[in-house]
Amino acid sequence: LRAENCADRLKVLEIRRERLATADFPGFKSVCLPMPVLRTLVKQAAPSWRIPLMCVSGVYVIADTTTGKLYVGSASGEGGIWGRWTAYCKTGHGGNKELRDLLKRKGAGHSDRFQISVLEVCDPNATKEEVLERESHWKTVLQTREFGLNAN
């Protein structure tokens, strides 16, 4: 829709005093975000999401809701899961080969069809190698190397 083509058919039903906000962080076990919602949270730097997610490392899954294919990734660096997910918001693929190739084929806007969730929060003292071991475990369990979007 373009405003100049349909402005005469639109009606303002309400003007809200307060800006619409996204829901507060529901806890790690309940995170299931469409990528456009994650982009909004990152853009707003929503504290109820940013603070808990930047304080932990862990394993996450991205689902392509059009095919059901999964990508399993992990975050163990500075900024935790929040920092890693911010990279997906910027590029749509976070630098991952299979996701990058998918977006080349389907177009950058296809990342709006992604949904992201936390699979496992790792011990705060876990090393990068331990987090990568947990990532590998989930790739095996979900068979994302064979049938999903993981190349490694």
Side-chain angles (χ1 to χ4, degrees):
L1 294 174
R2 296 184 63 142
E4 61 266 15
N5 297 336
C6 62
D8 58 330
R9 295 177 294 183
L10 299 176
K11 294 180 183 177
V12 175
L13 299 177
E14 178 182 13
I15 297 176
R16 298 178 54 93
R17 289 183 185 268
E18 296 176 19
R19 182 171 126 190
L20 286 176
T22 53
D24 286 338
F25 182 67
F28 297 107
K29 293 179 182 178
S30 299
V31 172
C32 184
L33 291 170
M35 192 60 70
V37 174
L38 178 61
R39 283 191 197 101
T40 299
L41 292 170
V42 167
K43 184 177 179 181
Q44 294 175 351
S48 76
W49 288 82
R50 182 179 48 82
I51 293 168
L53 288 170
M54 71 184 298
C55 293
V56 297
S57 59
V59 183
Y60 56 87
V61 62
I62 297 174
D64 180 340
T65 61
T66 62
T67 64
K69 288 190 175 187
L70 303 176
Y71 171 83
V72 172
S74 66
S76 58
E78 190 173 324
I81 292 173
W82 179 263
R84 188 71 188 105
W85 286 5
T86 298
Y88 288 102
C89 291
K90 291 178 183 173
T91 65
H93 55 72
N96 303 111
K97 180 191 180 321
E98 293 295 321
L99 294 178
R100 188 173 50 240
D101 291 348
L102 175 66
L103 295 180
K104 280 182 186 176
R105 288 192 313 274
K106 301 271 188 171
H110 187 74
S111 67
D112 286 349
R113 305 292 186 171
F114 294 167
Q115 177 177 280
I116 195 162
S117 303
V118 175
L119 287 174
E120 181 176 343
V121 174
C122 294
D123 182 301
N125 297 317
T127 64
K128 180 177 181 176
E129 291 73 27
E130 291 170 325
V131 175
L132 290 173
E133 285 175 21
R134 297 307 302 155
E135 176 186 359
S136 183
H137 166 78
W138 282 106
K139 288 176 182 178
T140 300
V141 168
L142 298 173
Q143 297 185 330
T144 59
R145 294 180 186 105
E146 297 85 355
F147 304 109
L149 297 167
N150 285 103
N152 62 348

